[in-house]
Amino acid sequence: MPQSFEPSQKKFYPPSFYDFYQPIAKILPETPVLESRGDRPLKMTFEDQLKALIFFHLEEHVSARHLIQVLNKDDFARNSIAPKDGIGKSSFSEAINNRGLEQLEFVFQKLACEASNILPYQHTNLGELVAIDGSLIDAVLSMTWADYRKNSKKAKIHLGFNLNQGIPSKIFFTNGKGAERPFVSQILLPGQTGVGDRGYQKHDLFDSWMHAIKKLVLSTACIFWVITTVVSG
């Protein structure tokens, strides 16, 4: 088999790709099927998209166009990453426009659960600490659902980060205007302590969190408003 020889490009070692892909491969049989939103079948399965996403970040590609070029020219990418019949620019764009958000959330939750069973706990004397925050992500104008402001599209992630183990625990997506406070009750489990900034401070919500036997610590810089004694009973 002919081998690519491009001295100007950094070397890519396939084992590193498989190290990242192996945990996902075990989850794929349980993952909901990604279906086309139109009459044409997708040229990339959700598995193809995941492989391309991992490869994109490992290789630090600068654009989708660059990735497509590599998928068509690089021996490893063409044989192990790209769909069996290859992929063109228009087909790639159509497939990516059908991003499997449901499937990605499913894979995320499965991986987070698996990791939490392996990683050791730190600072157990402080209980279960979960950092909560929202963050904006730039979106293209064609993503009409990502409403933010005129001529600007942004999505927002609402993340719960397990501070005891150093891994994300839960993630939710909204448009850029999505409120952050309502997601506290979806991210925290009974008995956990949430760590957030002052944007989450709202007294009537504290009552509902207290009813759910949850705790909340609001922090900014090095100052902590310790409210656990009030809301934890």
Side-chain angles (χ1 to χ4, degrees), residues 87-106:
I87 190 74
K89 181 179 177 181
S90 60
S91 297
F92 180 86
S93 299
E94 183 179 6
I96 295 301
N97 282 336
N98 287 267
R99 293 176 181 86
L101 181 57
E102 176 190 359
Q103 289 76 14
L104 285 171
E105 289 181 331
F106 179 86

Side-chain angles (χ1 to χ4, degrees), residues 175-191:
N175 61 40
K177 294 181 178 179
E180 297 179 19
R181 292 170 180 167
F183 285 92
V184 171
S185 59
Q186 299 184 56
I187 292 174
L188 285 184
L189 295 175

Side-chain angles (χ1 to χ4, degrees), residues 196-198 218-225:
D197 58 32
R198 294 184 66 180
L218 297 180
S219 66
T220 178
C222 296
I223 304 175
F224 289 82
W225 285 265

Side-chain angles (χ1 to χ4, degrees), residues 113-175:
C113 181
E114 184 175 334
S116 66
N117 292 327
I118 298 173
L119 294 173
Y121 271 78
Q122 303 292 328
H123 312 296
T124 54
N125 59 310
L126 297 178
E128 294 188 47
L129 301 176
V130 179
I132 305 172
D133 201 5
S135 182
L136 291 172
I137 304 174
D138 289 335
V140 296
L141 292 177
S142 60
M143 296 170 66
T144 55
W145 63 270
D147 187 27
Y148 187 60
R149 62 171 178 256
K150 186 177 180 180
N151 296 325
S152 178
K153 298 293 182 184
K154 292 182 183 291
K156 180 179 285 188
I157 63 168
H158 306 267
L159 181 69
F161 190 85
N162 184 330
L163 295 174
N164 299 86
Q165 295 180 297
I167 57 170
S169 56
K170 289 188 179 180
I171 188 170
F172 298 92
F173 293 89
T174 65
N175 61 40

